[in-house]
Amino acid sequence: MIDVWELLLRSRKFMFGLAVLISLILLGTVGPWLLGDPYYMNLSLIGRPPSPEHLLGTTSFGEDVFTQLCNAIGNSLVVGLIAGVLGTLIAVFVGAVGPYIGGMADRISSLATNLALVLPLIPLFIIIASVVRGLNLVLIGLILAATSWPWAARSIRSQVLTLKEREYVNLARMSGQNSVDIVVTEVLPNMLAYIMMVFVILTGTAILAESALSMIGVSTTRTITLGYMLYWAQHETTVPFWWNIWWWFIPPGIVLTVLLTAIFVIHAGMDEIFNPRLREL
Amino acid sequence: MDDTSETGNNGIVLKCEGLTKLYTSGLIRTKTVTGAKDVSFGIKRGEIVSLAGESGSGKSTVARMILRLIKPTSGSITLNGRSIYSYDIREYYRQVQAVFQDPYSAFNPFYTVDHVMERAFGLREGSIDPDEKDKIIQSTLESIGLNPSEVLGRYPHELSGGQMQRMLIGRSLLIGSQLLIADEPTSMIDASTRAGVLNLLLSLKKDKGLSVLFITHDIGQAQYVSERVLVMKQGEVVEQGPVDEVFIRPKHPYTKELLAAVPTLYERWDTCR
Ligand SMILES: Nc1ncnc2c1ncn2[C@@H]1O[C@H](COP(=O)(O)OP(=O)(O)OP(=O)(O)O)[C@@H](O)[C@H]1O
Ligand SMILES: [Mg+2]
């Protein structure tokens, strides 16, 4: 088990993805702190192309694109993290504890999983966006978390069902441990690797989902995220054609692609290590 | 609890009567499989009883019921004259412990093997300081012929099957249990270490008065360790009695079949090696 973590540190894919991700995280955390107010509109500098003062030019409101981009990275990561952490916790709880206790608890958790699996995400979002004024990042993270966990809970459930048949679970029971103890100390540690993968995937898909929803205008319209930038770049009409301001929508597009690719590569690296069949030694 | 004096009933430690287990699966269209049917037997203090039978005959089912890992459909199991379900769970496991078929599955790969030994202290009353714990673990391991420095601090995959099975037997000694359910403890380890494990059981029986339910599909081993044997087939005990009687003058045709299979089994092992 310990060897797996060492292998991970030697995995080129994992380390490469992690390096890219960390640079983006730095941009998203340090950037906003060094640069000024991302919403500041300099009306004398509207729709300017990239220049030494404005590395990525300005928007058609006169805002600095680079400043906005750094904030967008940070905020998109926040949404992803909230949804990733919460979604993983829900998936582990529903997927592991229910089936372990068995009986009624298992049936309830299965039912909840199946119900959540068929919950339509986009209509739900549109309804919530129209009802709730001022959707904020935390709220969006929560909604994404609440809708993203079922597939993970299902596969965690099937793994728990296999792991609980191991004799060491019986031995733990015969050492006087209760069910919750056993799940936490005997079953879950063997799934840490998989749970980490679930977290990475949930975080990535939440970032993507938030961007997609922003682009169609049903997410936050006040806080800058990558999707928010893309939305405004498309809908702004003060310049005759929106594609004339390429420096406004290309950077968030590239960053979003790079960010998701980094997360995907991290996942692929983990997959190679954690699924011995894929491991090339 | 004063356990030593209350064996009662001619020193019978464990008694199963009419033990039956039906496995049902499926919610709507249920399917029923008979795991065990009307199994009755007793184990005395310091006695090794073998439970023999082919694969799927219900041996592990009986073991799991005795270990309170599954509930019997009907029938009763008593330990020292009291229903096993009347004991507090920790109190019960202080007296009844097990060694399983697959030592590799009995140790959690996430932890070093020490974990299993340390966990066993959870069954004791009161707290015990770490130094004391280490001392007890070491002396227990030494008493069953293991070198503590060779096994402690290692991961399961770094130990041999025989070492692991010995550690598990050590674990139940450390707990101080009086009844050991050994479910095919030697089937996954090689022939040379197998004798060591069997002899360990024999010496524990002699020195500590340990009672053992020795489950096996190998008649030879049953003959070697036990004085009494039960033969199971399709969930039922078809024959039981003293080893010599059952194996030399088998009454049930199935026992004869089993005995006839023994030489061929050994031959196959020999050619495999
Ligand atoms: N959890 C279960 N659910 C349904 N059927 C089961 C279950 N466990 C065992 N069985 C069935 O009960 C019967 C007895 O199984 P058991 O494991 O007790 O056999 P065994 O004698 O221990 O065999 P082996 O020597 O292979 O270990 C088998 O037919 C098996 O398929
Ligand atoms: Mg079995």
Side-chain angles (χ1 to χ4, degrees):
Chain A
M1 196 59 219
I2 301 305
D3 311 341
V4 164
W5 304 108
E6 266 170 40
L7 283 175
L8 210 50
L9 291 182
R10 273 194 265 139
S11 154
R12 247 182 277 146
K13 276 185 192 157
F14 179 79
M15 291 313 279
F16 175 76
L18 197 65
V20 173
L21 184 65
I22 289 175
S23 355
L24 285 174
I25 291 175
L26 283 178
L27 259 183
T29 48
V30 178
W33 183 63
L34 290 180
L35 304 159
D37 174 14
Y39 302 100
Y40 174 71
M41 300 179 189
N42 187 341
L43 295 179
S44 60
L45 283 173
I46 282 175
R48 295 293 168 90
S51 66
E53 291 84 53
H54 296 282
L55 284 177
L56 293 174
T58 61
T59 70
S60 48
F61 298 113
E63 302 149 320
D64 181 54
V65 174
F66 184 64
T67 308
Q68 288 219 324
L69 187 66
C70 288
N71 280 276
I73 294 171
N75 289 335
S76 283
L77 284 170
V78 166
V79 172
L81 269 183
I82 293 174
V85 169
L86 261 176
T88 307
L89 286 179
I90 300 174
V92 168
F93 184 77
V94 176
V97 178
Y100 193 83
I101 295 169
M104 207 55 197
D106 190 20
R107 262 180 242 161
I108 292 173
S109 72
S110 277
L111 184 71
T113 308
N114 289 334
L115 279 183
L117 209 52
V118 294
L119 214 66
L121 175 58
I122 291 175
L124 182 81
F125 242 102
I126 294 173
I127 293 168
I128 293 178
S130 61
V131 173
V132 180
R133 295 245 147 250
L135 267 183
N136 60 25
L137 288 183
V138 176
L139 208 57
I140 291 169
L142 288 179
I143 298 171
L144 287 172
T147 49
S148 67
W149 55 270
W151 65 269
R154 260 201 183 179
S155 71
I156 287 175
R157 178 186 137 89
S158 70
Q159 290 187 36
V160 169
L161 286 178
T162 325
L163 285 176
K164 75 179 251 197
E165 295 307 319
R166 299 282 159 86
E167 302 289 19
Y168 57 75
V169 168
N170 286 334
L171 276 188
R173 171 137 296 162
M174 286 190 278
S175 299
Q177 287 185 265
N178 64 32
S179 294
V180 175
D181 265 356
I182 292 177
V183 170
V184 173
T185 65
E186 305 286 335
V187 177
L188 287 184
N190 286 300
M191 296 175 57
L192 268 185
Y194 185 76
I195 291 171
M196 258 178 73
M197 259 169 62
V198 164
F199 167 70
V200 168
I201 296 172
L202 288 183
T203 304
T205 46
I207 290 173
L208 183 64
E210 194 282 327
S211 302
L213 290 164
S214 283
M215 276 172 75
I216 59 170
V218 287
S219 181
T220 161
T221 41
R222 298 222 192 109
T223 314
I224 306 174
T225 64
L226 292 168
Y228 164 101
M229 288 184 76
L230 291 168
Y231 173 79
W232 284 108
Q234 278 182 82
H235 287 80
E236 181 41 45
T237 50
T238 51
V239 172
F241 301 105
W242 58 268
W243 56 86
N244 284 342
I245 314 193
W246 55 268
W247 54 86
W248 192 1
F249 65 87
I250 295 225
I254 289 179
V255 165
L256 187 61
T257 313
V258 169
L259 177 59
L260 290 173
T261 308
I263 288 177
F264 174 76
V265 170
I266 289 175
H267 167 245
M270 290 167 92
D271 206 23
E272 260 178 28
I273 304 296
F274 297 148
N275 291 339
R277 265 175 298 148
L278 298 175
R279 202 183 295 167
E280 20 177 310
L281 285 175
Chain B
M1 287 259 13
D2 184 14
D3 301 322
T4 46
S5 64
E6 52 162 321
T7 38
N9 311 353
N10 317 322
I12 286 184
V13 177
L14 183 90
K15 198 165 180 190
C16 302
E17 269 170 304
L19 211 48
T20 300
K21 175 72 192 179
L22 303 175
Y23 291 106
T24 45
S25 53
L27 273 181
I28 300 150
R29 236 182 295 154
T30 53
K31 223 183 88 198
T32 309
V33 178
T34 308
K37 199 166 142 196
D38 200 20
V39 174
S40 302
F41 66 95
I43 302 177
K44 293 198 201 87
R45 170 166 300 281
E47 185 185 36
I48 300 184
V49 174
S50 283
L51 186 56
E54 64 188 350
S55 187
S57 57
K59 306 183 298 291
S60 298
T61 302
V62 170
R64 277 164 207 281
M65 285 191 281
I66 297 173
L67 289 168
R68 289 179 67 168
L69 296 172
I70 55 175
K71 276 223 157 81
T73 311
S74 65
S76 73
I77 313 172
T78 52
L79 180 77
N80 296 328
R82 272 170 64 190
S83 160
I84 60 170
Y85 289 99
S86 72
Y87 290 87
D88 165 68
I89 195 98
R90 288 170 70 231
E91 190 190 344
Y92 186 69
Y93 287 134
R94 272 202 288 280
Q95 303 176 53
V96 181
Q97 277 297 330
V99 179
F100 295 115
Q101 183 164 6
D102 180 2
Y104 299 91
S105 150
F107 287 86
N108 194 333
F110 190 79
Y111 300 106
T112 62
V113 294
D114 307 23
H115 177 75
V116 154
M117 303 301 268
E118 274 160 21
R119 268 292 140 76
F121 284 95
L123 288 173
R124 296 201 171 202
E125 304 275 20
S127 61
I128 190 168
D129 72 289
D131 285 349
E132 186 76 6
K133 249 189 214 176
D134 287 349
K135 243 184 244 154
I136 297 176
I137 294 178
Q138 299 208 351
S139 67
T140 309
L141 291 179
E142 275 161 10
S143 78
I144 55 171
L146 279 175
N147 183 351
S149 62
E150 246 171 47
V151 289
L152 291 178
R154 299 221 187 173
Y155 283 92
H157 66 268
E158 298 172 321
L159 295 189
S160 73
Q163 283 174 320
M164 287 195 241
Q165 287 303 48
R166 278 163 177 270
M167 278 198 86
L168 291 177
I169 295 174
R171 170 183 171 278
S172 59
L173 282 185
L174 195 149
I175 294 167
S177 53
Q178 48 172 308
L179 174 63
L180 182 67
I181 310 295
D183 191 352
E184 309 203 38
T186 58
S187 62
M188 303 276 285
I189 58 185
D190 61 276
S192 52
T193 32
R194 190 172 292 161
V197 171
L198 296 181
N199 288 333
L200 176 59
L201 290 179
L202 282 172
S203 72
L204 291 175
K205 162 202 150 154
K206 207 168 87 205
D207 302 342
K208 312 222 159 164
L210 185 72
S211 310
V212 181
L213 179 63
F214 184 80
I215 297 176
T216 182
H217 55 257
D218 179 350
I219 301 274
Q221 289 183 39
Q223 222 160 355
Y224 184 74
V225 295
S226 58
E227 41 266 40
R228 246 163 15 90
V229 64
L230 297 104
V231 180
M232 272 186 99
K233 186 194 182 187
Q234 289 173 3
E236 286 181 89
V237 175
V238 292
E239 186 158 3
Q240 65 172 304
V243 167
D244 295 334
E245 214 165 281
V246 172
F247 289 152
I248 294 170
R249 287 178 296 277
K251 290 189 205 85
H252 196 278
Y254 177 66
T255 317
K256 288 180 192 158
E257 251 175 67
L258 267 185
L259 281 171
V262 172
T264 56
L265 271 179
Y266 281 124
E267 263 164 44
R268 232 188 300 144
W269 284 342
D270 286 340
T271 49
C272 282
R273 249 186 270 139

